Structures are given as C-alpha cells and as structure tokens.
Amino acid sequence: MIKLTKSKEPEILQKNRVSWEKTLFDHAASGTEPTQADLNRYNHPDIKSALLAETGEKCAYCESKIRHITYGDIEHIVPKRLAPEHRFKWDNLTIGCDTCNTKKGIKENLIDPYRDDPETEFVVMGPMLLPDPQSDRAKVTESALDLNRKALMERRAERIKALHSLVQIALSLKEEGDQKVLFDEIRLRETTDEVEYAALSRSYVRELQAKGIIPSE
C-alpha cells in the first residue's frame, strides 16, 4: 500500500453531486426506497476513469493491477452504509480489487491511503506486508483486508524475483555506461507509484542501495 493523491473532481460529479444527494434525502424524508440507479450514480464512466488514473489502475489497498482480469470496483473509503452522506463525495471514492473490496465491507478505522502514509505504517519483509508493531490501525488493516493472503504473496514474490533478475543482469554488464542505464531504470522507473507493488519495489531497492549494490544516483 502506498500514499495516493486525490485528483481533480470530475465535472460530472461537480455538476450533479448536490442533486444526487437531494434525491436520496427526499426518498428518506418521504419514507420511499430509492432506485438502484439513484444509489449508484457514482458508478459513472468519467468518475471511474479518474479514479483509475489516480491509482495507476491498481487496487488502492493491495496495489495489485486489476484491469487485466477485472473491471475494478469503485470503493467507498468510509463505508457508504455507515456514512450515506459520503456516498457521492469525491474524497471518499477510490478503486479497489474485488477481494479487498469484499473483505473491507463496513470495517472502520483502516489505514486511508490518501490521508495516511502507508509506507510508514507497514514494514515490507520479502513478499510480506507487515503492520508496524506500534500501529493498531495498521494491524487492523492487515487483518481486515488479509494483505498477506497466499495469492497476493505469490504475486509479490514474482515481483521481487523480476527485480532481482534485472539487478543480476545489470551486474553482469561489462560496460559501466550500460550498467548505469539499467540501474537507473531499476532505481527510477521500477519504483514509481504506477508499478505494481511499488512499496515492495522501493523497499527492495533501498535495501540493495544500503548494501552498495545499486547506486543511489
């Protein structure tokens, strides 16, 4: 999990949020049931596109790339069943994978990747994302979302192996210039927010930099 930055609110939400909220308020006041269309107006293509862009098309929680196997779900950071007034609030929307979305349910007090810095709340140990022993919220988040589930750890292990192979290739290059190019690729491009499991990738690179294997610059 990494820290995310909220992008500009989509125009469709800017123009319609108040009226969408009023529709639900009117139903509540009259004791009538809103339609599914009324409830799910946040699931608009423009809103989803903006969320996918700001998350790098990854789950905001487990950092898995999701577009190659699923559409991805629009996720309410504060569960909409607990805070219906935040159903259409831009700051309360993100993208989650099916698994994290389902496991999160209506659980509260989890690490918020927009307001918190997850990389200070968790410790990366190989393919494991462990909660900081002093952070109760990180412990709750890891348990609630099952952030060390088997399939996820397998994918993270594959990411580590891929990075390790690149490092070995770089070390095998005889030309110093060629080696620098590849190390720069690893250091600068393989650790960006957009890559899958960026927190893990950054942790791996920092460790090898500390050992003097990967140059700092």
Side-chain angles (χ1 to χ4, degrees), residues 28-81:
S30 63
T32 57
E33 290 293 325
T35 66
Q36 286 301 306
D38 292 333
L39 291 170
N40 296 325
R41 292 194 186 280
Y42 59 81
N43 204 13
H44 187 280
D46 291 352
I47 296 174
K48 192 165 190 177
S49 293
L51 292 172
L52 287 167
E54 75 181 22
T55 60
E57 297 197 353
K58 298 189 295 183
C59 172
Y61 299 106
C62 73
E63 279 202 86
S64 295
K65 289 279 189 180
I66 52 182
R67 295 287 282 171
H68 59 295
I69 56 173
T70 183
Y71 293 109
D73 296 324
I74 292 183
E75 158 71 15
H76 290 80
I77 299 168
V78 177
K80 56 184 180 292
R81 279 185 283 172

Side-chain angles (χ1 to χ4, degrees), residues 172-196:
S172 72
L173 296 174
K174 296 181 179 180
E175 294 293 332
E176 186 176 333
D178 293 340
Q179 191 178 88
K180 183 181 184 305
V181 168
L182 188 48
F183 273 135
D184 284 348
E185 174 83 10
I186 295 167
R187 184 172 55 84
L188 300 176
R189 296 189 61 180
E190 294 295 330
T191 60
T192 61
D193 287 352
E194 291 74 21
V195 301
E196 195 169 34

Side-chain angles (χ1 to χ4, degrees), residues 127-162:
M128 298 186 71
L129 187 66
L130 301 176
D132 184 313
Q134 299 182 85
S135 174
D136 290 339
R137 291 178 64 222
K139 294 174 191 176
V140 171
T141 303
E142 188 277 328
S143 177
L145 301 180
D146 194 10
L147 290 176
N148 290 300
R149 52 190 183 265
K150 181 180 178 182
L152 190 51
M153 292 207 9
E154 288 173 350
R155 290 280 295 170
R156 291 188 192 130
E158 290 173 3
R159 175 64 179 159
I160 294 173
K161 289 177 182 177

